[in-house]
């Protein structure tokens, strides 16, 4: 049985954002997110909590510019931490698929922790913003997560009249799919190719 802790320190600084924190995949739902954007905090908290993670994340971003860099970089930081936490990707389920409803909204996420980034993000949001977060940047959060965590990430919101519900259902479905995909199976590397392009540097 794999018992090594699956975690990563988050320490990411650019001229646009400074992000600190930690990710523990096998957590107890201890989540504290302070990005400076309330709606982003709400979404990342939903993601981490329903994935079963402990996540601490604090971002000081250039919100005087707009919300873009903070949203993008927080997601990259989480994705990079996830990538490090799953290491060479051996002994995990690799695939995950989940639906999540939020009242009238219904979202579906299908994920492959393949080592190959491919975002397919279809949220169908109609509003310009939710809280202080531009809706186009919500899509960008999922794209950035897929790129940094190097996974095929297909997110489709199948229905829903309320954009807050649509977005939140998408994060919850992604959390549930990630929880499945990262689950420990101890069946070795789930790849006929023999590599999932792990963080150790072996390419797919
Ligand atoms: Mn909500």
């Amino acid at each position: 049985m794999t018992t090594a802790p699956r975690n990563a320190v988050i320490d990411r600084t650019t001229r646009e954002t400074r992000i600190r924190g930690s990710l523990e995949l096998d957590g107890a739902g201890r989540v504290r997110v302070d990005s400076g954007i309330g709606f982003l905090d709400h979404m990342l908290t939903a993601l981490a909590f329903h994935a079963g993670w402990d996540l601490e994340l604090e971002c000081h971003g250039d919100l005087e510019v707009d919300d873009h860099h903070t949203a993008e970089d927080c997601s990259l930081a989480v994705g990079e931490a996830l990538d490090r936490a799953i290491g060479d990707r051996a002994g995990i389920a690799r695939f995950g698929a989940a639906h999540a409803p939020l009242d009238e909204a219904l979202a579906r996420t299908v994920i492959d922790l393949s080592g190959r980034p491919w975002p397919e993000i279809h949220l169908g949001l109609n509003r310009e913003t939710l809280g202080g977060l531009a809706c186009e940047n919500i899509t960008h959060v999922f794209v950035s997560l897929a790129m940094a965590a190097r996974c095929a990430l297909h997110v489709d919101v199948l229905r829903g009249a309320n954009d807050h519900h649509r977005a939140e259902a998408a994060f919850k479905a992604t959390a549930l799919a990630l929880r499945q995909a990262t689950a420990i199976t101890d069946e070795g590397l789930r790849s006929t190719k023999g590599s999932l392009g792990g963080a150790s540097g072996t390419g797919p």
Side-chain angles (χ1 to χ4, degrees):
M1 198 62 198
T2 302
T3 53
R6 302 192 297 167
N7 53 32
V9 169
I10 295 171
D11 187 352
R12 192 179 195 283
T13 301
T14 70
R15 263 180 259 177
E16 296 163 346
T17 59
R18 183 161 53 85
I19 303 171
R20 299 282 183 276
S22 60
L23 171 67
E24 166 61 58
L25 287 195
D26 305 295
R30 284 185 292 265
V31 181
R32 196 180 64 80
V33 178
D34 183 5
S35 70
I37 304 171
F39 193 76
L40 181 63
D41 294 351
H42 186 35
M43 294 300 104
L44 292 179
T45 297
L47 178 76
F49 182 82
H50 292 287
W53 300 345
D54 291 339
L55 174 67
E56 194 156 326
L57 186 146
E58 187 175 352
C59 176
H60 297 277
D62 57 357
L63 294 176
E64 72 282 2
V65 175
D66 69 3
D67 55 313
H68 185 98
H69 298 139
T70 293
E72 177 177 43
D73 291 356
C74 284
S75 187
L76 289 173
V78 171
E80 288 162 0
L82 173 59
D83 181 46
R84 289 196 300 276
I86 56 178
D88 66 4
R89 306 186 181 210
I92 61 172
R94 175 180 171 180
F95 294 97
H99 290 80
L102 202 175
D103 295 348
E104 91 295 346
L106 178 64
R108 178 188 65 210
T109 296
V110 182
I111 191 165
D112 175 8
L113 293 170
S114 58
R116 298 144 61 100
W118 193 287
E120 284 288 343
I121 312 302
H122 307 280
L123 306 179
L125 302 175
N126 289 314
R127 287 177 57 154
E128 183 71 20
T129 63
L130 284 164
L133 187 59
C135 284
E136 65 178 2
N137 290 334
I138 298 174
T139 299
H140 201 59
V141 163
F142 284 105
V143 169
S144 299
L145 185 68
M147 300 308 286
R150 298 182 302 117
C151 58
L153 179 64
H154 293 245
V155 182
D156 292 88
V157 178
L158 304 176
R159 58 172 163 263
N162 180 291
D163 275 353
H164 184 125
H165 288 173
R166 293 179 72 99
E168 188 166 341
F171 279 93
K172 287 176 174 171
T174 300
L176 298 174
L178 273 170
R179 186 168 197 159
Q180 283 179 23
T182 57
I184 293 170
T185 64
D186 268 343
E187 291 173 15
L189 195 69
R190 306 287 294 162
S191 169
T192 56
K193 193 185 291 182
S195 169
L196 291 175
S200 55
T202 49

